[in-house]
Structure formats: structure tokens, C-alpha cells
Amino acid sequence: FCLENTDPRMRGRGIQLLSQVLLHCYSLLQEKEVLHLVLFYESRLQDHHLVIPSVLQGLRALSMCEVLSPGLAVSVLKAIFQEVHVQSLLQLDRHTVYSIITNFMSTREEELKGLGANFTFGFIQVMDGEKDPRNLLLAFQIVRDLIAKDYALGPFVEELFEVTSCYFPVDFTPPPNDPHGIQREDLILSLRAVLASTPQFAEFLLPLLIEKLDSELQSAKLDSLQTLTACCAIYGQKELQEFLPSLWSSLRREVFQTASEKIETECLAALHALSACLSRSVLSSDSEDLLDSFLSSILQDCRHHLCEPDMKLVWPSAKLLQAAAGASLRTYHRITHSILPLLLEQYTKHTQSSQRRTILEMLLGFLELQQKWGHVEEDESTLLSLQAPVCSVVFSALLDPSVQLQQVGIKALTVLGSLQGFLSSSDVELVVDHLIRLALHEEDSQSSETAMEAAGSLACTYPNIFSGRMVPKLEEELQSEREESYHNHHSLQQRCLQALAAVSTHTSIVRKTVPVLLQHFQKVQKGTEARNTQDMVSVCQSLHHVALQCQQDAEGCWYFHQTVVPCLLAMAVQAAMPESNHTLPGEALLEEEVLAAMIPVISAATTHLSPELAAQSVSHVVPLFLDGEVSFLPQNSFPCSFQPFGDGECLEAQRRLVALLMAFVCSLPRDVAIPQQEWLLRELLALSCSCNCPFTATTAAKCFAGLVNKHPAGQELDEILQLAVNRMESSLAEGPCRSQALTLLLWVRPALDEWGRGTGGPSLALTVLPAQVTKALVLRYHPLSSCLTNKLLGLLGDTELGPAAADGFSLLMAESPDVLHKGCHADVRIMFRQRFFTDNVPKLVQGFHGAGPDVKANYLKGLSHVLNHLPKPVLVTELPTLLPLLLEALSCSDRVVQLSTLSCLHPLLLEAPHIMSLHVDTLVTKFLNLTSSPTMAVRIAALRCAHALTSLPTTVLLPYKGRVIRALAKPLDDKKRLVRKEAVAARGEW
């Protein structure tokens, strides 16, 4: 009835219903049904304009049918092209037309190609005048497919270009809260893909790009340059020939005159692309070599600027020359043949260090381009023919008093050394001498560091020369006893140690430097001066640097491990031996600072071992600590047995070495079996709960945690964890070891989270979960885990342990630098922080409200630690409920609470301004009060927050403007420079 009704609105409703049904069931139709429906819908295209939208929806459904008879796709498109004025339709209906065309192009390509250029012309009519960005993205894709799939364009190339290029450059600003999410960049990239899709557009596009380059609009310049760069990937010499002079003129003008770094960068990229395009072009015997003439123009316009006394256009010219030279080996040879001799001449001509530095930096740019092409070819390279003057210039720069010129010279030296065959052996030896002088004796620390980096880089290329010449000289300097001030001698030794580490980039060199470092460590250990502690820390830092550089080389890694680890353990064991039965040794090596520096050395030497070699090593180290088996140690004749887990005050020094055991066993690969592991765990547990030394108790707890983290699930793990829980609860209840028990609780509690999951190995990964994680992972707790978490929360109300328990929340949420991170092969689970937050912050809030006034600060401190380590997107969602509590925390007298809360609020002011605006009065008052805090760090944090307040809506801030500006005048006179700096920034913004 509806389909035959004389009222067009009623007919439209009937066709709309039919089309909606077809959109749901088009895949079920048979071929004859599709044919019948197509013919019906084609006839309806001649109907009243009110009916057309519903007809197009039906045709879209039919265009997706797989049983469409041959010829029907062509028939439908012809009907649309002839009967429908597409641009008079609404946006959604135009989108439907583009969808029909897209569907047919993906399934009926050969049929559509049978239409020849008529299909292209029909589409041009459909698209002409389109303005909606949603439709344009689809239309641009169709044009790209027309070209990429080789549809016939016929005589309509220019028309197709015109119908798309009229949108160039794209001028579109998405409306606020646009649900479609189309950005200007989406349209730019889509249109660029069309314009740069075929060389057939070149004769129309290149004049357009030149015109836009000459405009005043920066966005148009950028778009034109980026499009030109894209076009060069498919153009050849023929397309570019006519327009090269104009293109070069525009590019040169922009680089010489523009103040925009973006424009300059894109100009250089376009010049590079043009030169590369011309380099790729295959020449016939009678054609002109456009590349040569193009490079001649560049040289003619840029070369003379390098000789101007004021050096005004030196850098723009150099950048243009380097952009062209980097395009191909041919362009490099052509330009360097003309430019390198000129630069060398100018360097000699100028005497000022600043001018020489500029010239050497330009020379360095060309040298770095040579690296791109690898081996220096003798027959073509200008660089090889200029070897002597280039080396002379670089070496003279190293001797110049100007630090800036020295650093450029060092960089140039590094590049020259990396060019295979450029430096002779005698040149490299001279390089080594220069680097030693700069690394050790140059007053400027930056030049010294640069020289060490260069030595490390070049040592990989010339290991024999560096190990035979540089290492012995560094060793000699390290061992020399000079009659000079302690400060100068100490500084020289520090630099020697750093240089030995920096140069250890090849296994053959490592075999020379490691013994030198260990020998110096032993020498320092035997000294009696108070400075020995810092000297030993310096050696450990150098050894750690070497260990990190060895990790990627299996041979070097194993050599370092089997040489350094036993040696360090032997020295530590020797130092821990009591001089008599009643006295404790006063060895500097047993200082906490030195042991802490040895931990990363042993850890880095262990993490990258293969499982087989790690198993070989662990079979020696663990028996050393459990059985006192010292036979594998060098110099293993000790006055008494090594019993770090034994009883007695005289063994306190030996117990400190558990830190080294932790560094070793907690860095082993997860699949390496640890001998006597259950015994070791029990000893560590006992030590962590009973030892009076905080350092020893903490490292024992960490070691226990690291082993439990990798322990396979099963009855053995359950038993040791139950033993740990019982031990902690009894120690926390009463007695002198409450703080040790709390430390163990903080390290072991997360292991029980994982233990309760029953999903494999336990995890102590609370401190190593990535800070970037932003989604909560709800996991079921084992009852024992919840019990211990509640125990920790309960300790916040303890007047003795409450502050330490509150600080423990920082430990639970922060990353661990020594154990329990992925670098140590720990079992790390993601999103622990979110889960901990979800489960425990409500309890912290509840505990705060019910706590007495003397312990409320503990709950605030614990809460601020948790929030401070939580990913900010997660925190923002919980902000409305937590913000009042954070504001209350600012009134707490504990400076740690204040600092932690301020650091938590600062990013929230930037990321959640609308929520923070609701509390602006309180925030302003609190921040201004804290700018007068007696603690400098609190004053700085408060000023940063006051600065961040300016990101709130202006209408919210205006009532407070005068008050804040007056209040911020006081910290402008603060006695600390860093406070004054923040005050200036904050007050200026207000």
C-alpha cells in the first residue's frame, strides 16, 4: 500500500521500511531477489526528492550483497550519476552515496573499470562542492583508490585534480565537543595522500605549491613543503624539470629569511627530497643531467656566504648544502668536493675561537653525512684526499683554550675515527693521547666527560690500540703518588676511574681495565684515611659502569662476573673477620655506603648470565654464606670461619655482608635453582627479625622477599610464609625487635597477595609495578594477605611504630632500586597500585576519621604516599571524595605529609581544573600559608602549586588575584635562591 501510494511522504515511509529491513538481511537474499530489488530501486531514483534518501539507503544495503549479478553495479552507479544531484542532498545522504561507490569499488572493480573514464567523470560530479569533513575523508579515499588501482582517468586528470586541490591548504577547525573526532590533521594527511599519489598531477600541483610557498600564511607554507616532500617520492626528473628554478628560489628564500624553525626544517626536508628524487632518475643518453645543474645552482647561491666576514648567512647556507649533500652518495661527493676545501681554508683564515667553532661545526655536519655512506672510497672521496688538513684542523681544535671549540673537536674526532680506513694507526695513537689529556687534565668537566664518551665510542673500533696505549697510561696515572693537594689528586683519581670505565666497551679492553680497578680497590681498602669510604664508592661506581657495558656481550659478561664477584666477596669477607675474639673491625669496606655501592655491581654482573653459568656461580656463593665454604674465593686463607648467620656480637660485621648475598641471589634468572633454599630462607627470616642493625635487618628482609618472589608455588612456599607470618606477629606484639618485624612485614606482605591467588609463583612486585599503569585490576586476596594489610593499617594507630608504618606505604607503592624489579627477573604483576588503592584507601580514610588527634597525621601520611604514587588518571576519578582529606593534610605539621600532599596536588591542578575550582578558596589559603614554612622544600612546593593554580578558569581566580600577588611579594626576598626563583615565576603568572 505504502509503495504505491500517491503521497510522496507515504511512499518514502514505505521505501524507508524496506531499506531498513534490507540493511539487516541483505546477506540472506538470493540472486533473483537482488536483481528484482535493484531494478525497483533504480526506478525509484526518478521519484520525488523526498523519497531519494530512503532509496539510497536501500541501494547501500544491496551494494553489500555478494550475489549481485554482473552488470548491476555499473547500472546502479550510472543511475545515481544521471538521476541524483548529490550535492543537493543532506550530509548523511551524501555519505550514503560515497559508501555505495566504496562498496562497489572493493567488490566489483573490474566491472567499474569497464566504464572507462566515464566512472571517473561521474565521481567528479558527485564530489564537486563537498564541504563536510566526514564526507571528504571518504571522498579522498575514493580518489586514492581510483589512482592506486589504476582506474582510467582519461581526459579528466585536471578535473580530478581541481575537485580535490580546491581544499588545499586545509582550513578546518573542529567544533568544540565534536562527537566525530575529526581533526584538521586527518584531513591534511588524507588530502596529501591524494595530491601525492600520481605524477600526472605534477604539472598542476607544483605551481600551486609554489604559489602557497610565496603566501604569508605559515600553515599554508608548512602544508606545501610537506606535500612537496611527499611528491618527490614518486616524481621523476621529467615532472620536476620545469619547476626546479622556482622551487629552489622559494626554498632558499624561506631558509634565509624565516624566523620559524618549523618552516626551516620542512624546507630542508623538501630540498633533501628533491635532491634524492633527481639522484634516482635514470638518464637517457641525450637527456640533460638535472641533478648536476640543480646542485650547481645551490652551490652558486650558498658557497659565497661561507666566506663572508660577518658570517651572517653561514648557518642557513650550510644547512641547505648539508640537506642536499645528504640525499645520495653522488650529491655528497659533488658538494663536498666544492665545500670541504673552502671550510678548511676559512678555518685557517679566521683566528677567533667562536668563528672557528662555527666553521668546525659545519665541517662536522659534512663528516657525519659521510658516516651514512660507510666506507670511504679512495677513488671518489674528497674527504680522503683532505685527510691531512682535516686531521690538522681537528687536532688544533683540541688544543684550543675555548671549551666550546674543544667539544666540537672531540665530536669531530669521534666521527673521523668511525670512518673505516680514514685514520692511520699513528693518527689513532695521537687521538688516544689527546683524549687522555682532555679526560684527565682539562679543567672543564664537560670537556672531560665528552672526551671519555669519545674514548668509549672509539675503543669499540680500535680495541687493540686503546687497550695497549690508553689503559696503561690511565693505570700509571691512577697509581702515581703526586705532591699536590688532596683535592687535585682525588679529582685526578676520580677521572682516571671514570675513564677506565668509559673505555671498557670491548671485551679485550675489559680484560685489561677490570684488574686495574680491582687492584686499586684493594689498595684503597688497605689505607687508613677517612676518605677511603668515598674512594671505594668511586671504584664501585666505575665497576658498575663496566658491568652495564658488558651485559650485551656473553663473553665479557661472564669474564666480569667470575673475576669481580669472587674478588669483592673475598675482600668483604676478609674485612669482616674479627681481629680478635672480642673486638670488631673498623674497615671502611663494611660501611653502609660502600656495601650499598657494591650491591649494583654484583647485581649488574649477575642479571644477564645464562642459566647454565648462573647455576655454576650460585653453587659457590650460597654455600659461602650457609656453610662458610670459601675455597672458590681468591686469597681464601682467613683467620677464622665465615658465619654470617651465626650468633654472637663478634659476627655483626659478617652479618652485614648479607647485603651482597641479596645482590647476587635476587638478580639470578628465575629458572635457576638455588641450593639449600629452604634453609637459606629460614636463616634470612630469623636474621631480619632479630638483628639490631637496621641495615642488616633490612637487607635480610629484602633478600627473603626476593627469594620468595621467585619461589615456585607449593607446600614448601606455604610453610615458609606461614612461619614468616607467625614470626612477625609475635615480634610486632611486643619486644625489642618491633621495627625489624615491621620492615619484614612491609617487604613480605605483597608476596602474600600473590600467594593467595593460586595462579603460579608468588609475587613481591608491589614496588616495581610500572608507574604508567592506569586501569585497576581487581584481584582476590588470600585471607592471610588481608590480615597482614589490616595489621599494617592497625599499626598507624601505634604511637611508637605509627610514623614508620605510614612511611612504609611509600615503600609499598614506590619502585625498588635493588630488588623486586623486572631487571632482576622478579615476578612482576601489573596494576598493583590500583588494586592496593581500591582495597585499602577506604580503610585509611575510615581509620583517619576514627583516630585520636595524636595519630591522625600517620593516616594522612600513609594516604598521601599512596596517592602520590598512583597514576594520575586514576586519582582524578577519585578526586571529589579524597580532595577534602588532602586539604586537611596540608594543615598537618609533619613536613613529609605537607610535601607529599603538595606533590600530589600539583598535577591535579593541571589535569582536573574544574574539580579543583570548587575548593579554590581553601587552596589559595593553604598554599599561601605554606610559602612561609620553615622547610625550604615545602616553600618551593607551595609556590609551584600557587603557580599551577593559574591553570584554573580565569573567572574563578580573579577575586583572589590581588591577595595572591601581595602575598607572593614576601617570598621574593627569601634567603634561598631556588625559593626566589619559584616565587618570581608564580607571581609573574598571577
Side-chain angles (χ1 to χ4, degrees):
F1 168 76
C2 288
L3 296 178
E4 296 178 346
N5 199 294
T6 56
D7 183 359
R9 289 181 176 80
M10 188 61 71
R11 288 201 306 279
R13 289 179 60 189
I15 295 174
Q16 182 182 22
L17 174 61
L18 177 60
S19 297
Q20 288 174 345
V21 171
L22 289 176
L23 284 168
H24 282 85
C25 69
Y26 64 86
S27 61
L28 307 176
L29 297 175
Q30 298 176 11
E31 186 175 349
K32 289 184 179 180
E33 294 170 333
V34 173
L35 172 62
H36 185 72
L37 287 164
V38 166
L39 294 175
F40 166 74
Y41 273 106
E42 281 184 6
S43 66
R44 292 302 90 200
L45 286 173
Q46 301 174 5
D47 205 334
H48 195 277
H49 68 88
L50 292 174
V51 176
I52 299 301
S54 299
V55 175
L56 292 173
Q57 287 293 343
L59 288 173
R60 183 168 74 90
L62 295 171
S63 71
M64 294 184 282
C65 290
E66 295 181 3
V67 294
L68 198 69
S69 301
L72 286 184
V74 171
S75 175
V76 169
L77 290 180
K78 278 184 175 180
I80 291 174
F81 293 159
Q82 291 173 7
E83 306 296 343
V84 182
H85 184 245
V86 176
Q87 288 307 313
S88 65
L89 302 175
L90 296 175
Q91 179 272 326
L92 181 61
D93 303 324
R94 301 199 304 276
H95 193 277
T96 302
V97 174
Y98 296 126
S99 299
I100 293 170
I101 296 172
T102 301
N103 291 340
F104 283 145
M105 288 181 73
S106 61
T107 59
R108 297 289 189 273
E109 181 179 333
E110 294 305 319
E111 289 182 37
L112 300 190
K113 285 182 177 179
L115 278 171
N118 290 330
F119 175 60
T120 303
F121 179 68
F123 173 73
I124 290 171
Q125 289 181 307
V126 166
M127 182 184 173
D128 193 11
E130 182 59 66
K131 293 179 181 177
D132 190 275
R134 293 163 288 181
N135 291 348
L136 283 173
L137 286 177
L138 203 52
F140 291 155
Q141 180 61 53
I142 291 171
V143 179
R144 288 207 300 277
D145 289 341
L146 280 172
I147 295 167
K149 295 181 179 179
D150 204 24
Y151 281 78
L153 304 184
F156 304 114
V157 173
E158 186 173 1
E159 286 78 1
L160 186 62
F161 172 78
E162 292 295 340
V163 84
T164 51
S165 65
C166 62
Y167 303 100
F168 183 86
V170 171
D171 182 20
F172 168 68
T173 303
N177 304 318
D178 180 19
H180 306 290
I182 297 175
Q183 300 297 316
R184 179 172 176 267
E185 190 67 18
D186 299 328
L187 290 166
I188 288 174
L189 294 175
S190 189
L191 176 57
R192 185 177 301 151
V194 171
L195 298 177
S197 61
T198 174
Q200 296 181 73
F201 285 166
E203 61 179 304
F204 315 113
L205 176 60
L206 291 175
L208 176 64
L209 296 180
I210 294 168
E211 176 191 333
K212 299 301 180 184
L213 270 174
D214 295 341
S215 72
E216 297 298 320
L217 196 62
Q218 180 166 320
S219 61
K221 291 178 187 282
L222 280 173
D223 207 351
S224 300
L225 290 165
Q226 290 166 349
T227 303
L228 175 60
T229 302
C231 289
C232 287
I234 63 163
Y235 285 3
Q237 182 167 294
K238 182 180 72 172
E239 287 77 25
L240 293 172
Q241 183 170 8
E242 181 184 347
F243 306 100
L244 276 176
S246 299
L247 287 170
W248 164 240
S249 175
S250 298
L251 294 175
R252 182 191 63 217
R253 182 192 67 245
E254 292 301 327
V255 173
F256 280 171
Q257 297 178 5
T258 186
S260 166
E261 192 174 330
K262 284 183 179 179
I263 296 279
E264 181 187 88
T265 301
E266 293 302 334
C267 280
L268 297 175
L271 180 59
H272 179 94
L274 281 169
S275 303
C277 177
L278 295 174
S279 299
R280 288 193 306 269
S281 299
V282 179
L283 300 177
S284 57
S285 57
D286 57 343
S287 61
E288 180 189 356
D289 185 358
L290 280 184
L291 177 63
D292 191 65
S293 57
F294 183 60
L295 295 178
S296 296
S297 299
I298 296 174
L299 287 166
Q300 180 181 344
D301 292 341
C302 294
R303 193 177 187 277
H304 65 277
H305 290 303
L306 304 182
C307 307
E308 292 174 354
D310 58 1
M311 305 186 83
K312 183 179 179 182
L313 292 175
V314 159
W315 268 119
S317 299
K319 288 177 181 177
L320 287 166
L321 289 164
Q322 288 170 3
S328 68
L329 189 56
R330 186 176 166 211
T331 60
Y332 178 78
H333 286 318
R334 176 75 171 82
I335 288 178
T336 55
H337 179 75
S338 173
I339 296 300
L340 290 188
L342 179 64
L343 289 177
L344 294 172
E345 177 190 326
Q346 291 298 307
Y347 185 91
T348 309
K349 181 179 175 182
H350 290 282
T351 55
Q352 292 184 13
S353 294
S354 59
Q355 294 174 325
R356 285 190 158 193
R357 187 190 73 190
T358 300
I359 295 167
L360 188 57
E361 282 176 338
M362 288 189 287
L363 180 63
L364 175 61
F366 286 104
L367 294 177
E368 287 172 339
L369 290 176
Q370 175 69 60
Q371 281 183 307
K372 186 176 178 181
W373 312 115
H375 183 65
V376 181
E377 297 291 342
E378 292 186 22
D379 55 340
E380 292 186 45
S381 175
T382 304
L383 186 59
L384 205 59
S385 65
L386 297 171
Q387 180 183 15
V390 167
C391 288
S392 174
V393 162
V394 173
F395 289 148
S396 72
L398 301 180
L399 296 169
D400 196 274
S402 166
V403 172
Q404 291 80 7
L405 181 54
Q406 279 182 11
Q407 290 183 356
V408 180
I410 294 169
K411 291 175 184 175
L413 200 61
T414 308
V415 176
L416 290 177
S418 68
L419 298 176
Q420 186 181 354
F422 186 81
L423 294 179
S424 64
S425 296
S426 58
D427 288 333
V428 178
E429 290 177 358
L430 187 57
V431 167
V432 169
D433 293 341
H434 276 297
L435 291 177
I436 291 172
R437 177 182 57 78
L438 290 167
L440 300 186
H441 304 295
E442 175 56 47
E443 289 184 11
D444 183 74
S445 60
Q446 199 170 356
S447 287
S448 175
E449 290 171 10
T450 307
M452 291 182 197
E453 290 175 13
S457 176
L458 293 174
C460 293
T461 310
Y462 308 99
N464 293 335
I465 297 177
F466 273 80
S467 62
R469 190 173 184 89
M470 188 167 191
V471 175
K473 288 192 176 184
L474 291 174
E475 181 181 7
E476 182 183 338
E477 290 281 1
L478 190 61
Q479 294 175 349
S480 63
E481 298 291 342
R482 300 185 179 217
E483 294 182 3
E484 52 188 338
S485 68
Y486 163 70
H487 175 75
N488 291 337
H489 182 63
H490 181 69
S491 176
L492 178 63
Q493 287 203 336
Q494 288 279 88
R495 287 193 176 186
C496 283
L497 292 172
Q498 292 167 0
L500 283 166
V503 82
S504 301
T505 52
H506 191 277
T507 302
S508 64
I509 303 176
V510 171
R511 292 179 181 274
K512 295 285 185 69
T513 56
V514 165
V516 174
L517 291 170
L518 291 176
Q519 183 182 354
H520 185 68
F521 191 78
Q522 291 169 332
K523 176 185 173 183
V524 172
Q525 182 203 3
K526 293 173 183 175
T528 57
E529 297 91 340
R531 65 174 183 264
N532 284 359
T533 297
Q534 186 53 48
D535 289 343
M536 283 191 279
V537 169
S538 299
V539 179
C540 288
Q541 289 170 345
S542 292
L543 285 170
H544 182 232
H545 189 180
V546 177
L548 294 175
Q549 292 176 158
C550 289
Q551 286 181 341
Q552 303 309 316
D553 175 60
E555 181 189 350
C557 185
W558 177 236
Y559 168 78
F560 184 91
H561 181 88
Q562 67 177 351
T563 305
V564 173
V565 173
C567 185
L568 292 182
L569 289 174
M571 284 190 282
V573 170
Q574 181 67 56
M577 289 296 168
E579 296 172 0
S580 70
N581 291 332
H582 306 291
T583 59
L584 291 176
E587 289 279 359
L589 191 148
L590 298 176
E591 294 288 336
E592 182 177 331
E593 189 179 356
V594 178
L595 289 173
M598 293 169 72
I599 288 171
V601 178
I602 295 175
S603 178
T606 306
T607 52
H608 283 64
L609 289 180
S610 67
E612 297 77 21
L613 295 176
Q616 182 180 330
S617 189
V618 77
S619 66
H620 296 303
V621 177
V622 172
L624 168 67
F625 282 85
L626 290 179
D627 306 319
E629 178 55 59
V630 297
S631 59
F632 82 102
L633 298 178
Q635 303 169 355
N636 52 23
S637 58
F638 301 112
C640 59
S641 61
F642 180 58
Q643 299 175 307
F645 294 114
D647 297 326
E649 187 180 350
C650 63
L651 297 176
E652 178 59 40
Q654 295 187 12
R655 284 194 279 272
R656 294 173 73 82
L657 302 192
V658 170
L660 306 185
L661 173 67
M662 175 200 74
F664 176 77
V665 296
C666 292
S667 303
L668 291 168
R670 211 180 301 177
D671 52 355
V672 174
I674 296 175
Q676 308 175 82
Q677 185 168 8
E678 308 314 314
W679 179 17
L680 179 60
L681 283 167
R682 291 173 188 275
E683 294 287 7
L684 289 167
L685 178 59
L687 185 61
S688 63
C689 287
S690 61
C691 183
N692 294 323
C693 172
F695 175 75
T696 304
T698 300
T699 53
K702 287 182 180 182
C703 191
F704 181 86
L707 289 174
V708 167
N709 173 255
K710 300 174 188 176
H711 198 297
Q715 184 178 353
E716 291 179 353
L717 178 62
D718 296 352
E719 289 175 358
I720 195 67
L721 287 175
Q722 189 62 56
L723 181 64
V725 170
N726 296 340
R727 190 72 176 263
M728 285 185 289
E729 288 188 337
S730 62
S731 298
L732 284 169
E734 57 183 345
C737 298
R738 297 185 75 203
S739 61
Q740 290 94 317
L742 174 61
T743 300
L744 186 61
L745 170 64
L746 291 171
W747 283 98
V748 173
R749 191 210 61 78
L752 299 175
D753 293 350
E754 306 297 337
W755 180 43
R757 299 180 195 181
T759 56
S763 176
L764 280 163
L766 87 144
T767 58
V768 290
L769 293 177
Q772 299 92 331
V773 178
T774 55
K775 293 183 181 178
L777 177 64
V778 180
L779 295 171
R780 178 175 60 86
Y781 271 55
H782 187 279
L784 191 55
S785 168
S786 299
C787 173
L788 287 182
T789 305
N790 292 336
K791 186 68 177 174
L792 182 62
L793 289 165
L795 288 173
L796 294 173
D798 188 297
T799 52
E800 178 190 353
L801 291 181
D807 286 331
F809 282 92
S810 176
L811 170 68
L812 292 175
M813 299 294 285
E815 294 201 10
S816 169
D818 42 17
V819 295
L820 300 179
H821 59 89
K822 285 186 176 179
C824 287
H825 312 287
D827 184 3
V828 178
R829 305 294 175 91
I830 63 171
M831 296 188 178
F832 179 87
R833 292 184 178 90
Q834 287 89 323
R835 192 186 71 171
F836 187 88
F837 170 84
T838 303
D839 290 349
N840 296 300
V841 164
K843 298 176 185 176
L844 277 168
V845 174
Q846 183 181 356
F848 168 79
H849 290 303
D854 55 336
V855 294
K856 273 184 179 290
N858 297 336
Y859 288 90
L860 288 175
K861 185 190 289 189
L863 178 66
S864 64
H865 282 316
V866 173
L867 299 183
N868 208 29
H869 289 93
L870 197 69
K872 293 304 176 282
V874 180
L875 184 54
V876 167
T877 60
E878 304 291 337
L879 194 54
T881 56
L882 292 173
L883 190 54
L885 209 56
L886 287 171
L887 295 176
E888 192 165 345
L890 290 177
S891 303
C892 179
S893 58
D894 190 318
R895 67 180 181 84
V896 176
V897 177
Q898 293 172 346
L899 264 177
S900 186
T901 307
L902 288 168
S903 63
C904 184
L905 288 171
H906 182 267
L908 296 175
L909 289 165
L910 305 174
E911 295 175 25
H914 296 293
I915 300 174
M916 304 299 276
S917 297
L918 302 175
H919 301 268
V920 64
D921 189 69
T922 308
L923 288 168
V924 168
T925 303
K926 300 280 189 187
F927 293 158
L928 294 181
N929 288 341
L930 289 174
T931 59
S932 302
S933 167
T935 305
M936 182 183 78
V938 173
R939 298 200 300 276
I940 290 174
L943 287 166
R944 286 176 179 165
C945 286
H947 189 170
L949 277 173
T950 58
S951 63
L952 303 186
T954 306
T955 50
V956 174
L957 298 177
L958 282 175
Y960 304 94
K961 178 180 175 182
R963 173 187 167 191
V964 172
I965 290 175
R966 286 192 299 274
L968 292 182
K970 181 182 177 183
L972 290 176
D973 291 326
D974 196 280
K975 59 185 178 181
K976 295 294 186 181
R977 182 183 61 83
L978 292 176
V979 177
R980 297 196 299 273
K981 179 182 175 183
E982 294 294 340
V984 168
R987 194 168 185 266
E989 198 64 34
W990 272 91

